[in-house]
Amino acid sequence: MPRPEKTSLNQKPSPARRAGLWWFAAVAVLVATASWLAAGEFDPPRIDRAGLLLAQDWRNPSLDKAFAILTWLGSLATLLPIAALAVYRLWRRGYGGEARFLVLALVGAAVLAQLAKQLVVRPRPELFPALVPVFSPWSFPSGHALQVTAFAVALMVLALRLRPRWWPGAALVLAAMVVLVGISRLYLQVHYPSDVLAGTVAAVCWVSGLRAILFDSGAARPDSELKGMRPPAS
């Protein structure tokens, strides 16, 4: 009598399921944080006040100028041209799947940030005057933090996938960029710490889901793998 097949408890969920779990986590982080803030009627919690007070204590003319420049690393005005160049180079070299991954990571993060802003409508900080102009009256989540984190994590994924030897250095530089942009949003008094933290975590979850659905399923493969799968010329 044939034995019934055993289902392994250690079997990994499918790429689509993993992507869904990551994307659920991204939304859950934003919803949970927004709910916590709304419970206090958007009066800044203690951690947010402490973060902005600390940033104000750091103020000096040199840092004012430095952070006003560094914060542009999280703006689409900076990230889109860089992404366009990277996508062009990837596409030219035959990495179409990787190019799509980078586009979706950045554009999806920007859309997610704007949707959340319009739904949550948390006002900008008013404890101290903002040091730079802002284009939206809404603070949660930080679009700059969400966008730069998504872009940086996507580049880390591509570096590990296509140039593993570059990964440690690339990861260090990209992580520093994320941290500096996040600090700049606090220093410039345009976001609360909770805006930055929620945007950063949501971005990591968003890109992790993209990686699962695009790469773990074999939807895109590096050229080196594809070449090994091609039949020899007759």
Side-chain angles (χ1 to χ4, degrees):
M1 184 174 180
R3 296 180 180 179
E5 292 184 5
K6 294 182 179 180
T7 303
S8 174
L9 296 177
N10 296 325
Q11 185 177 2
K12 290 184 179 181
S14 68
R17 183 177 176 83
R18 291 203 300 276
L21 291 172
W22 278 115
W23 292 336
F24 175 81
V27 174
V29 165
L30 296 176
V31 170
T33 308
S35 300
W36 171 58
L37 296 171
E41 298 182 350
F42 292 111
D43 187 43
R46 184 177 300 177
I47 187 174
D48 281 346
R49 288 181 176 273
L52 294 185
L53 285 168
L54 180 62
Q56 183 68 14
D57 288 342
W58 289 355
R59 284 283 311 277
N60 69 64
S62 296
L63 287 179
D64 288 358
K65 294 178 181 177
F67 281 120
I69 294 171
L70 286 170
T71 202
W72 281 94
L73 291 174
S75 169
L76 288 179
T78 301
L79 294 175
L80 282 177
I82 297 173
L85 178 60
V87 166
Y88 173 76
R89 291 177 64 86
L90 287 168
W91 201 276
R92 283 287 303 272
R93 297 183 181 187
Y95 299 116
E98 286 75 8
R100 287 191 292 273
F101 169 70
L102 188 56
V103 170
L104 289 172
L106 180 56
V107 174
V111 171
L112 180 61
Q114 293 308 312
L115 283 176
K117 283 179 183 289
Q118 297 304 317
L119 291 173
V120 178
V121 294
R122 184 190 197 186
R124 296 274 183 179
E126 295 181 345
L127 293 178
F128 303 99
L131 302 184
V132 292
V134 290
F135 301 103
S136 167
W138 310 127
S139 182
F140 181 89
S142 168
H144 280 60
L146 214 159
Q147 290 159 187
V148 75
T149 303
F151 186 67
V153 173
L155 289 181
M156 290 181 195
V157 169
L158 294 181
L160 185 61
R161 182 176 173 80
L162 303 178
R163 297 289 187 273
R165 293 182 180 179
W166 295 4
W167 191 86
L172 183 61
V173 171
L174 292 167
M177 182 171 73
V178 170
V179 171
L180 287 172
V181 170
I183 292 175
S184 77
R185 304 312 282 168
L186 306 182
Y187 183 91
L188 299 171
Q189 299 292 331
V190 294
H191 279 292
Y192 295 104
S194 55
D195 301 333
V196 173
L197 289 173
T200 300
V201 175
V204 172
C205 294
W206 162 246
V207 178
S208 296
L210 274 182
R211 177 190 177 279
I213 198 70
L214 291 180
F215 297 147
D216 291 355
S217 63
R221 298 175 183 269
D223 271 2
S224 57
E225 293 182 20
L226 292 174
K227 288 176 181 177
M229 297 171 61
R230 290 172 186 160
S234 57

